[in-house]
């Protein structure tokens, strides 16, 4: 029987995934980013690494059948299903300093804090920064080299399913940025299911 959680808008969740389990992350209301971090349950120095994943795959966008790799070039997850097809590997997790610099706001909730809080019960130390798989985030690289974050393409009920290729600790943040197109200026919940 599937387990299910609803991450409130601007909050986070940490979970243990065993090898072979599938996690479905659903954008409940549409256009909401979910920062997704993963660590090996056997070695917390091994984590999901977007840069390594792009290096191995030779592409920025993933599709069903693609694996996501760790900083040690080991497969941690596999995309099983995806109803959106546009996610982000480039941007680091938002953090309080970002809101100060870009929006003049302090203090401000952040994915960095949410992920740290979600991982703390598993005794995973807070890294200097999180480089997550940003589900539903629509980052556009323009021909002139500019990078912009546009409204997510995800609609209400869209989801991505990932299968654990090894035992993992995962953390998911319902991104708290309402100051930009990142979440279409409105933060909403994220649903998580383990199947």
């Amino acid at each position: 029987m599937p387990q299910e959680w609803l991450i409130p808008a601007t909050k986070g969740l940490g979970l243990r995934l065993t090898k072979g389990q599938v996690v479905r992350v659903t954008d409940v209301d549409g256009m909401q980013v979910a920062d997704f971090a993963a660590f090996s349950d056997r070695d917390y120095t091994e984590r999901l690494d977007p840069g390594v994943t792009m290096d191995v795959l030779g592409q920025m966008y993933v599709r069903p059948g693609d694996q996501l790799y760790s900083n040690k070039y080991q497969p941690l997850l596999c995309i099983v299903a995806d109803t959106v097809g546009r996610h982000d590997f480039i941007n680091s997790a938002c953090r309080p300093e970002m809101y100060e610099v870009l929006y003049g706001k302090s203090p401000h909730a952040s994915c960095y804090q949410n992920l740290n809080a979600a991982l703390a019960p598993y005794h995973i130390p807070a890294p200097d920064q999180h480089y997550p798989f940003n589900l539903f985030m629509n980052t556009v690289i323009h021909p002139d080299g500019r990078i912009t974050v546009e409204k997510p393409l995800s609609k209400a009920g869209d989801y991505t399913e990932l299968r654990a290729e090894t035992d993992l600790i995962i953390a998911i943040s319902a991104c708290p940025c309402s100051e930009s197109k990142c979440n279409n200026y409105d933060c909403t919940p994220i649903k998580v299911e383990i199947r």
Side-chain angles (χ1 to χ4, degrees):
M1 188 168 180
Q3 296 173 280
E4 184 176 308
W5 299 263
L6 186 68
I7 306 176
T10 77
K11 302 299 182 184
L13 175 72
L15 299 169
R16 181 171 266 115
L17 273 186
T18 58
K19 182 178 179 178
Q21 283 187 316
V22 173
V23 60
R24 176 184 282 196
V25 182
T26 300
D27 186 351
V28 177
D29 296 325
M31 293 193 283
Q32 171 63 47
V33 171
D35 283 30
F36 185 103
F39 291 78
S40 167
D41 197 13
R42 294 186 306 273
D43 175 6
Y44 293 166
T45 68
E46 184 169 18
R47 55 169 173 71
L48 175 64
D49 191 304
V52 170
T53 299
M54 289 188 289
D55 187 27
V56 173
L57 297 181
Q59 61 195 29
M60 284 178 45
Y61 303 120
V62 291
R63 53 188 176 267
D66 287 341
Q67 291 181 313
L68 308 184
Y69 287 81
S70 76
N71 55 318
K72 299 183 180 182
Y73 281 78
Q74 297 300 307
L76 295 187
L77 295 144
C78 181
I79 305 290
V80 175
D82 182 15
T83 64
V84 180
R86 179 59 68 95
H87 311 283
D88 170 78
F89 273 136
I90 297 174
N91 290 283
S92 58
C94 64
R95 55 187 297 141
E97 296 89 340
M98 184 207 83
Y99 290 99
E100 287 183 41
V101 171
L102 298 185
Y103 306 110
K105 291 190 174 180
S106 180
H108 196 292
S110 71
C111 287
Y112 177 71
Q113 293 165 313
N114 286 347
L115 295 172
N116 289 343
L119 294 166
Y122 301 98
H123 308 291
I124 297 177
D128 291 340
Q129 178 58 295
H130 287 285
Y131 297 94
F133 180 31
N134 298 306
L135 292 165
F136 315 126
M137 189 171 186
N138 182 15
T139 301
V140 177
I141 300 178
H142 300 271
D144 63 1
R146 288 181 307 114
I147 300 173
T148 59
V149 176
E150 303 297 333
K151 293 179 182 178
L153 303 180
S154 52
K155 302 176 298 299
D158 275 335
Y159 62 87
T160 300
E161 290 185 345
L162 305 104
R163 184 183 65 240
E165 303 290 72
T166 187
D167 294 345
L168 297 171
I169 303 296
I170 64 169
I172 303 166
S173 171
C175 180
C177 184
S178 60
E179 289 78 11
S180 75
K181 293 180 183 177
C182 178
N183 298 306
N184 194 31
Y185 302 97
D186 182 33
C187 299
T188 55
I190 289 289
K191 185 167 78 169
V192 178
E193 299 165 85
I194 294 181
R195 296 161 174 260

